[in-house]
Amino acid sequence: AQTVTQSQPEMSVQEAETVTLSCTYDTSESNYYLFWYKQPPSRQMILVIRQEAYKQQNATENRFSVNFQKAAKSFSLKISDSQLGDTAMYFCAFMKNGANSKLTFGKGITLSVRP
Amino acid sequence: GEEVAQTPKHLVRGEGQKAKLYCAPIKGHSYVFWYQQVLKNEFKFLISFQNENVFDETGMPKERFSAKCLPNSPCSLEIQATKLEDSAVYFCASSQRGTAGAAFFGQGTRLTVV
């Protein structure tokens, strides 16, 4: 079974600064996908970024980037130039490769961006 | 449609009553997933479908929970004889492929059992 660990329950960052959210996972699979989802107070789950395990290059989406360390089973999210709208819960998730695979989520981290 | 539509947004049931939640996946998506998010924000996988077929139901409390995805109808999640611990937000997600395709979530149904 897969596990996803987000050890920091909450973080705070000043607007315009950079923050990194940590995530580690455990799996015996060699082919899988990792995701970061954002859940604002509206509770809508928004896909922020996705990483395929077979790709060595770290995924980037505008101000969001990941540091994927496959050997260490680490998948951190870096948010650059933080904005007030980034205030939300962030969930790290794992999905093994295979038809119809489910997501395994971490417990989430609450990020607050201070004006 | 272009988004996962869940109804109702809020549902209040007395303990022991039945609750039924609906989900219309994105058009063209073959895979549907149900997740339960409890008050501590933790997500629990319940069940997944490939078209109308149950694919993985390892998370379902089978004695009271059931789910269906029938052709040309919204998918449904039904809870018979609700308990206080069933209070949660229930999310439906759909994907075009079960692997590389990331899941797109609906806005959830908040079930409150009183």
Side-chain angles (χ1 to χ4, degrees), chain A residues 33 35 37 39 42-45 47 50 89 91 95-103 105-107, chain B residues 9 31 33 35 37 41-43 45 48-50 55 58 91 98-100 102-103 105 107-108 110:
Chain A
Y33 299 86
F35 305 87
Y37 279 89
Q39 188 178 41
S42 67
R43 79 170 182 239
Q44 175 72 53
M45 290 290 282
L47 177 62
R50 176 181 66 188
M89 281 208 73
F91 291 91
M95 182 176 74
K96 69 179 183 181
N97 190 25
N100 212 2
S101 295
K102 63 191 177 193
L103 288 163
F105 288 92
K107 291 185 178 182
Chain B
K9 288 187 179 176
Y31 304 97
F33 307 80
Y35 295 90
Q37 185 179 29
N41 297 313
E42 293 185 32
F43 280 86
F45 168 77
S48 63
F49 289 84
Q50 182 172 346
F55 184 83
T58 52
F91 283 97
T99 56
F105 283 75
Q107 291 205 319
R110 181 179 292 279

Side-chain angles (χ1 to χ4, degrees), chain A residues 12-20 63 78-84 86 111 113-114:
Chain A
S12 179
V13 64
Q14 194 73 33
E15 193 176 8
E17 293 189 345
T18 296
V19 64
T20 299
R63 297 183 296 107
K78 185 171 84 171
I79 306 175
S80 303
D81 185 26
S82 297
Q83 300 176 359
L84 297 178
D86 296 334
L111 175 67
V113 180
R114 305 186 305 273

Side-chain angles (χ1 to χ4, degrees), chain A residues 24-81:
Chain A
T24 58
Y25 59 95
D26 191 22
T27 184
S28 57
E29 302 285 334
S30 58
N31 200 3
Y32 52 86
Y33 299 86
L34 295 162
F35 305 87
W36 279 98
Y37 279 89
K38 170 184 177 181
Q39 188 178 41
S42 67
R43 79 170 182 239
Q44 175 72 53
M45 290 290 282
I46 302 165
L47 177 62
V48 174
I49 200 164
R50 176 181 66 188
Q51 174 80 42
E52 290 93 336
Y54 64 85
K55 289 187 178 178
Q56 290 188 338
Q57 187 172 7
N58 289 324
T60 299
E61 288 287 342
N62 300 314
R63 297 183 296 107
F64 299 88
S65 61
V66 298
N67 183 2
F68 173 48
Q69 302 289 328
K70 192 171 183 179
K73 295 179 181 172
S74 170
F75 183 61
S76 61
L77 175 69
K78 185 171 84 171
I79 306 175
S80 303
D81 185 26

